Amino acid sequence: MDEKIYREYVAILKEELQPAMGCTEPIAVAYCAALARRTLGALPETVEVLASANIIKNVKSVIVPNTNGQRGIAAAAAAGIVSGNADAQLQVLASLTPEQVDAVGAYLQQAAFTVRRADKDYVFDIQVRVTAGADSASVEIAGYHTNVIRIEKNGVVQFHKDYQESGSQHATDRSLLTVEHIIAFANEVDIADVQETLQRQIDYNWAIAEEGLRGDYGANIGRILLQSYGMSIHNRAKAYAAAGSDARMNGCDLPVVINSGSGNQGLTASLPVIVYAKELGVTQQMLYRALVVSNLVTIHLKTGIGSLSAYCGATAAGPLTSAALRPSNGAASAPAKDVSANTGSRKYRRIICGSPHQFIMARDTEDHFYVSGMFAFAGVLYRFVSVALGIQCDTVCLPGANTL
């Protein structure tokens, strides 16, 4: 395999598969606010948060971790300010002490908080402006969750990075991603190059899924799935992904390893694969290689769609995965080689992503095997994954695969 592509794929996995506590949009608000406080050098007396519509949508109904059940943008900003640990980025709320957790509610009442829509057309934009006495500071994040583009104090620019909405904001070259190369990479990669990144994903995401099944989080969809439909392998694959999302979106303080800036996509791209691997007793090396495919294909699909869109990202690879896994269910269907990305998109063409846990959906019913975005299988496709997990499946040949 070409050495440049190989090294870039390793770097892409490391860049994308990062740990984050809670829903990533409120955590990005918290990170931005923590950085604003550090820039100000004092506890802010006034806090103004300007956010793009997609940020507002994704934050407004989510419980912010370590806030005693507080929801929304102001709570996220307050928690970030109380934490002050901007160096932790998307783990900014992980180190809050019990005293700081209690202080978040008091600070919300003490300081003057204002939240409004951002004055820029960016899809992803967070601006936090703070004041204390005669001093002021502001921080802006755009494009993705940790992409700081501007820091000011008292009107003096301390940091600035050019940002163009249409340009790539990633440090890695996503133009090198193709399905063909992803499969070759998964087959050839030295496991030592990806093991730390993927084992962290396995450990973190499995832990929060089990917590979601044990605890009382949100609608408890994962537990309901198991109680209602039993312990079959395909139902457990759905239930574990749903349980991880239940916990993550409802204040659980365990971290999730994200994919394409999203915890739910990180859960979707890993947990069903892990469930199948455990059931089938495959080697750890085979599991790593399967996760390489699921993660990189998810990243590949989301690179063209963008981090935030009205299209629910967790569903992006779901139909393709169900197509790859369905022969293990004995489903009478066309060979997997006949399933294309366009078929997958058609199946989900009417899913609209609203605020988390507020999905509006009208599902096609011609094939009951397809499941909603909340329970979608990971982005696993192609013959490699079927072989890796011991599933008998025809060779997959995706029409136009090199343009996915």
Side-chain angles (χ1 to χ4, degrees):
M1 185 175 191
D2 181 85
E3 182 68 16
K4 178 182 178 182
I5 294 176
Y6 182 99
R7 292 300 167 194
E8 202 69 10
Y9 281 17
V10 171
I12 289 170
L13 287 170
K14 291 181 178 179
E15 180 183 21
E16 287 286 2
L17 303 189
Q18 293 294 321
M21 176 188 284
C23 179
T24 41
E25 278 70 64
I27 298 303
V29 172
Y31 166 51
C32 191
L35 192 52
R37 175 188 176 167
R38 187 170 73 183
T39 304
L40 183 66
L43 186 67
E45 299 166 359
T46 69
V47 181
E48 182 180 22
V49 182
L50 291 81
S52 58
N54 276 301
I55 298 296
I56 294 171
K57 166 182 70 70
N58 283 11
V59 177
K60 71 183 186 69
S61 298
V62 177
I63 294 176
V64 182
N66 284 336
T67 63
N68 289 326
Q70 300 275 359
R71 299 174 187 263
I73 289 177
I81 288 170
V82 170
S83 165
N85 186 15
D87 290 338
Q89 295 190 338
L90 297 184
Q91 291 273 61
V92 62
L93 303 186
S95 60
L96 282 170
T97 65
E99 293 75 21
Q100 287 177 313
V101 171
D102 292 336
V104 171
Y107 181 63
L108 273 169
Q109 301 300 317
Q110 170 190 337
F113 281 83
T114 304
V115 177
R116 61 187 178 90
R117 184 169 177 173
D119 51 3
K120 297 182 179 180
D121 293 331
Y122 299 158
V123 173
F124 190 116
D125 189 45
I126 301 169
Q127 303 170 47
V128 177
R129 302 170 182 175
V130 294
T131 66
D135 292 322
S136 65
S138 67
V139 175
E140 183 174 10
I141 291 174
Y144 60 93
H145 301 77
T146 57
N147 188 38
V148 178
I149 65 169
R150 191 174 183 88
I151 300 175
E152 290 186 13
K153 181 175 182 181
N154 294 330
V156 178
V157 176
Q158 297 188 345
F159 173 82
H160 172 77
K161 180 167 67 172
D162 290 336
Y163 174 75
Q164 293 182 350
E165 186 76 347
S166 59
S168 173
Q169 301 303 315
H170 303 289
T172 49
D173 184 1
R174 306 304 172 84
S175 70
L176 296 175
L177 287 169
T178 70
V179 173
E180 180 182 6
H181 287 149
I182 289 170
I183 303 307
F185 174 76
N187 277 306
E188 299 173 21
V189 64
D190 183 344
I191 295 299
D193 289 337
V194 296
Q195 182 173 5
E196 181 180 358
T197 300
L198 294 176
Q199 190 60 51
R200 181 173 61 186
Q201 183 181 50
I202 294 168
D203 293 341
Y204 284 17
N205 293 4
W206 189 260
I208 198 169
E210 291 198 313
E211 174 61 22
L213 291 172
R214 284 192 302 265
D216 183 14
Y217 295 98
N220 294 309
I221 297 298
R223 190 159 64 243
I224 289 172
L225 278 171
L226 294 180
Q227 292 170 349
S228 301
Y229 301 106
M231 296 296 292
S232 66
I233 177 63
H234 69 274
N235 194 51
R236 279 184 285 128
K238 293 185 287 184
Y240 269 75
S245 179
D246 284 334
R248 170 181 173 267
M249 306 302 287
N250 288 278
C252 178
D253 60 5
L254 292 176
V256 167
V257 170
I258 65 178
N259 183 307
S260 302
S262 166
N264 284 346
Q265 286 168 216
L267 295 169
T268 301
S270 59
L271 286 168
V273 184
I274 298 168
V275 169
Y276 266 86
K278 288 178 179 289
E279 174 73 12
L280 297 170
V282 303
T283 66
Q284 194 73 1
Q285 181 178 118
M286 286 296 186
L287 173 57
Y288 289 143
R289 295 187 189 280
L291 287 172
V292 165
V293 178
S294 65
N295 281 296
L296 285 177
V297 170
T298 300
I299 294 165
H300 186 18
L301 289 169
K302 281 297 292 178
T303 295
I305 297 169
S307 297
L308 288 176
S309 72
Y311 177 71
C312 180
T315 69
L320 298 172
T321 304
S322 61
L325 297 179
R326 63 195 291 167
S328 67
N329 279 338
S333 63
K337 65 184 178 183
D338 294 332
V339 180
S340 71
N342 288 334
T343 302
S345 298
R346 179 176 61 82
K347 288 288 181 181
Y348 283 87
R349 65 184 179 269
R350 288 184 286 167
I351 292 180
I352 301 169
C353 184
S355 179
H357 287 178
Q358 292 180 338
F359 290 95
I360 303 169
M361 178 178 161
R363 186 181 69 179
D364 289 326
T365 58
E366 60 206 74
D367 187 340
H368 65 82
F369 192 83
Y370 289 90
V371 292
S372 74
M374 185 177 258
F375 318 129
F377 285 159
V380 187
L381 62 121
Y382 225 82
R383 179 177 180 274
F384 168 79
V385 179
S386 300
V387 173
L389 298 184
I391 298 169
Q392 297 301 314
C393 183
D394 288 344
T395 300
V396 175
C397 181
L398 291 174
N402 62 347
T403 64
L404 277 179

